[in-house]
């Protein structure tokens, strides 16, 4: 097992390379045999021009597949990999068709690209299954031990156990049993999970695992995530890390705001028929208001009124503010559909255009709910260093019912590692979570907020 481990990434790399090569060959065939004869002046491209078109297609395919995680065959579930591959192929072929139309300076037949899409799916998805099958045979689930502190690790263990194909939690141990017996236990397992340990007690164990080449998984503290965004300072012979602790720079905010204005205008124009259709459906159902406005928090604690399509009954908050629950009876039939595909959020494009929100950022919370979270997690306000977002790190990698503490960690990860490319990736990943039901699950019955008692 240990000897095979070093070839794990090589297997993934070879499989990814073969898939990309197959896609390149199939597009090349479509380009040479179908589209090139249709071009009135195809000879002007010469061979270099033809190779450039195919090369651009390969780059676009690689970008979308990597962004959606389609190459992470040994990491994601089989269904997730298939969804990633489907989205990548669809997006690439849409862009590829636009590229062909721009080259020809006219609209070209779309059915060859549609046929190419179907052929690529028929070729790639069985290949993904085969590679995934090899992974499960060559690399069985890791035998893991969870080391915990004052808090129970049951919630984390439950999440890890949801991936029985990859992880196998065999034992737990309290950090308070002492380092020597802990070290002896660690040597019996393939990997170690350090679950919410005090930093002072975590560091010796982490160093021991490093020395023994033991794979280690760590639930980060807030301070650990802040360290992710530090800048290395090399003015002296002692390493320094600088944490500016101010959110985004003025240059980053300018680029982000420009992108928000441009994309929100385009999105409003393209989605206007859908907006009208949803508005009519809501109005016809119970004759109530189409939109739902509510005060929310954005950057620096400023309050604004968020706009959403109404998805609940008009008396849904007669008992006060509370989050949506699983199988919530307050949700209307129309609301259930638009919440499932996140279309109830579309009117927030107006909030983005006005500058109250951004396309990407922490989800805006109500002031009263945020205040309740802060009584348990004083650092919860750290999320307010950037504008609230329509989508974001916590929305893509978390769920509706993710605990506030975990949401805070995800949002801080976004703030501390922000880049234009991260924004672009999160916007593209948002299309993927529309098809993942677990991301829209509400809190449990009996809960009012996402805090678990």
């Amino acid at each position: 097992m240990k000897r095979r481990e070093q070839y794990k990434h090589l297997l993934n790399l070879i499989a990814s390379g073969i898939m990309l090569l197959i896609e390149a060959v199939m597009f090349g065939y479509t380009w040479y045999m179908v589209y090139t004869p249709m071009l009135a002046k195809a000879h002007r491209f010469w061979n270099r021009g033809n190779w450039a078109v195919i090369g651009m297609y390969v780059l676009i395919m690689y970008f979308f597949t990597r962004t959606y995680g389609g190459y992470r065959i040994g990491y994601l579930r089989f269904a997730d990999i298939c969804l990633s591959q489907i989205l990548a192929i669809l997006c690439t072929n849409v862009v590829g068709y636009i590229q062909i139309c721009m080259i020809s300076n006219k609209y070209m037949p779309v059915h060859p690209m549609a046929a190419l899409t179907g052929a690529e799916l028929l070729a790639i998805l069985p290949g993904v299954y085969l590679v995934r099958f090899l992974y499960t045979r060559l690399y069985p689930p890791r035998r893991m031990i969870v080391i915990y502190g004052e808090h129970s690790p049951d919630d984390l263990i439950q999440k890890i156990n949801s991936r029985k194909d990859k992880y196998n939690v065999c034992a737990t141990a309290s950090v308070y049993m002492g380092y020597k017996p802990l070290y002896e236990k660690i040597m019996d397992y393939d990997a170690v999970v350090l679950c919410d340990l005090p930093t002072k007690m975590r560091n010796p164990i982490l160093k021991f695992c490093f020395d023994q080449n033991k794979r280690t998984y760590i639930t980060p503290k807030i301070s650990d995530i802040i360290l992710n965004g530090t800048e290395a300072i090399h003015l002296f012979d002692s390493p320094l890390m600088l944490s500016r602790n101010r959110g985004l720079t003025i240059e980053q905010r300018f680029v982000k705001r420009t992108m928000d204005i441009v994309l929100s205008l385009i999105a409003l124009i393209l989605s206007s028929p859908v907006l009208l259709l949803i508005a009519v459906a809501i109005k016809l159902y119970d004759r109530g208001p189409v939109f739902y406005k509510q005060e929310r928090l954005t950057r620096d604690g400023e309050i604004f009124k968020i706009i959403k399509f109404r998805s609940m009954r008009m008396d849904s908050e007669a008992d006060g503010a509370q989050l949506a629950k699983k199988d919530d009876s307050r949700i209307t039939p129309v609301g259930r559909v638009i919440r499932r595909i996140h279309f109830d959020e579309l009117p927030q494009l107006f909030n983005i255009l006005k500058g109250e929100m951004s396309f990407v950022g922490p989800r805006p919370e109500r002031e009263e709910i945020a205040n309740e979270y802060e009584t348990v997690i004083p650092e919860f306000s750290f999320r307010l260093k950037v504008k609230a977002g329509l989508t974001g790190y916590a929305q893509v990698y978390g769920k509706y019912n993710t605990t506030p503490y975990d949401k805070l960690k995800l949002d801080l990860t976004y703030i501390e590692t922000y880049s234009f490319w991260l924004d672009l990736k999160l916007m593209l990943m948002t299309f993927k979570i529309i098809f993942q039901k677990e991301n829209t699950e509400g809190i449990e019955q009996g809960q009012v907020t996402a805090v678990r008692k």
Side-chain angles (χ1 to χ4, degrees):
M1 173 67 178
K2 290 183 178 180
R3 292 188 63 184
R4 291 201 303 265
E5 187 72 25
Q6 60 184 321
Y7 301 111
K8 188 174 184 178
H9 294 291
L10 182 60
L11 174 61
N12 194 75
L13 181 63
I14 293 172
S16 302
I18 292 173
M19 288 190 294
L20 194 58
L21 179 61
I22 292 172
E23 290 160 338
V25 170
M26 296 179 78
F27 174 77
Y29 177 85
T30 305
W31 170 253
Y32 274 108
M33 303 304 293
V34 180
Y35 284 112
T36 298
M38 296 180 185
L39 298 174
K41 297 179 181 179
H43 63 274
R44 75 175 185 266
F45 292 104
W46 300 85
N47 290 330
R48 292 183 180 179
N50 290 323
W51 281 107
V53 172
I54 298 172
M56 183 62 68
Y57 180 85
V58 170
L59 288 175
I60 295 169
M61 179 65 79
Y62 176 78
F63 169 76
F64 279 115
T65 310
R66 186 174 177 84
T67 297
Y68 284 122
Y71 293 135
R72 309 188 75 180
I73 299 175
Y75 181 77
L76 299 177
R77 294 184 180 93
F78 175 68
D80 288 336
I81 303 167
C82 289
L83 178 57
S84 299
Q85 289 286 346
I86 291 169
L87 289 174
I89 290 172
L90 288 173
C91 291
T92 302
N93 287 345
V94 168
V95 175
Y97 174 72
I98 294 171
Q99 178 188 12
I100 291 171
C101 292
M102 293 176 66
I103 291 172
S104 62
N105 203 27
K106 63 179 180 181
Y107 289 107
M108 300 293 283
V110 71
H111 63 270
M113 290 301 289
L116 172 65
T117 300
E120 285 178 330
L121 291 174
L122 289 175
I124 296 301
L125 296 185
V128 168
Y129 177 82
L130 176 61
V131 177
R132 182 72 180 168
F133 178 80
L134 289 174
Y135 255 94
T136 56
R137 293 298 180 272
L138 293 174
Y139 305 105
R142 298 181 187 279
R143 298 177 65 257
M144 308 173 75
I145 179 172
V146 176
I147 300 175
Y148 62 94
E150 297 178 358
H151 305 288
S152 169
D154 291 346
D155 186 51
L156 179 63
I157 293 173
Q158 183 180 359
K159 293 176 182 178
I160 295 174
N161 282 339
S162 67
R163 291 297 308 273
K164 291 285 190 180
D165 60 313
K166 191 171 177 62
Y167 306 113
N168 178 21
V169 176
C170 300
T172 61
S174 170
V175 70
Y176 297 106
M177 70 186 298
Y179 291 122
K180 187 175 180 180
L182 268 180
Y183 294 160
E184 291 174 356
K185 272 182 166 288
I186 287 172
M187 296 307 296
D188 294 330
Y189 299 94
D190 303 321
V192 181
V193 181
L194 304 182
C195 178
D196 201 23
L197 299 182
T199 305
K200 187 176 180 181
M201 305 185 77
R202 180 188 68 185
N203 288 349
I205 303 172
L206 186 59
K207 291 175 183 177
F208 173 80
C209 293
F210 184 86
D211 182 60
Q212 298 297 320
N213 300 319
K214 287 288 182 182
R215 181 174 289 238
T216 309
Y217 300 83
I218 306 160
T219 55
K221 299 288 189 182
I222 298 298
S223 54
D224 297 326
I225 296 174
I226 293 173
L227 286 174
N228 280 341
T230 57
E231 176 186 343
I233 301 295
H234 298 295
L235 296 177
F236 320 103
D237 58 356
S238 294
L240 286 178
M241 294 188 298
L242 170 63
S243 181
R244 299 186 188 277
N245 301 326
R246 64 184 184 191
L248 307 187
T249 65
I250 188 67
E251 297 91 346
Q252 290 171 330
R253 286 163 61 180
F254 174 78
V255 172
K256 192 173 175 65
R257 179 62 185 144
T258 302
M259 182 174 68
D260 285 340
I261 293 172
V262 173
L263 292 182
S264 60
L265 285 171
I266 295 173
L268 281 169
I269 294 170
L270 294 178
S271 65
S272 54
V274 178
L275 291 169
L276 181 60
L277 182 64
I278 295 174
V280 171
I282 294 172
K283 196 69 178 177
L284 289 176
Y285 176 71
D286 61 4
R287 307 294 179 183
V290 170
F291 297 111
Y292 174 68
K293 295 183 179 180
Q294 191 179 74
E295 289 188 347
R296 298 287 181 101
L297 296 174
T298 188
R299 188 178 65 207
D300 298 329
E302 293 182 11
I303 297 175
F304 74 102
K305 287 196 173 182
I306 196 172
I307 309 171
K308 301 176 70 173
F309 279 125
R310 183 173 60 85
S311 60
M312 292 190 175
R313 300 192 314 262
M314 288 179 282
D315 62 346
S316 61
E317 295 195 335
D319 297 327
Q322 53 185 301
L323 298 178
K325 302 177 177 64
K326 291 181 181 179
D327 304 317
D328 202 318
S329 61
R330 298 174 301 160
I331 301 175
T332 65
V334 176
R336 200 167 300 281
V337 174
I338 62 176
R339 287 175 72 94
R340 175 68 182 85
I341 57 178
H342 300 273
F343 277 14
D344 60 320
E345 313 281 358
L346 284 177
Q348 290 165 46
L349 293 169
F350 293 105
N351 292 119
I352 295 172
L353 190 59
K354 290 167 64 178
E356 297 165 333
M357 290 177 62
S358 178
F359 258 100
V360 183
R363 281 302 293 156
E365 293 284 358
R366 300 188 195 185
E367 186 176 20
E368 57 268 34
I369 291 179
N371 289 339
E372 184 174 341
Y373 288 163
E374 286 178 33
T375 60
V376 182
I377 313 162
E379 304 91 345
F380 195 74
S381 62
F382 289 1
R383 303 165 68 253
L384 302 180
K385 286 186 177 289
V386 296
K387 283 183 184 178
L390 177 61
T391 186
Y393 208 93
Q395 295 90 297
V396 169
Y397 295 109
K399 301 177 184 178
Y400 183 84
N401 58 4
T402 297
T403 64
Y405 188 54
D406 285 333
K407 278 187 180 179
L408 171 61
K409 290 180 179 180
L410 291 167
D411 287 328
L412 277 180
T413 299
Y414 168 73
I415 295 170
E416 293 301 317
T417 60
Y418 169 81
S419 70
F420 171 82
W421 293 110
L422 179 58
D423 267 6
L424 184 61
K425 177 181 179 180
L426 292 173
M427 282 189 280
L428 289 172
M429 287 291 289
T430 302
F431 291 109
K432 183 178 178 180
I433 66 172
I434 289 174
F435 301 97
Q436 297 174 318
K437 183 180 179 181
E438 63 269 18
N439 289 79
T440 59
E441 287 181 351
I443 59 177
E444 298 290 343
Q445 293 291 339
Q447 287 182 264
V448 176
T449 68
V451 173
R452 295 175 186 169
K453 298 178 181 179

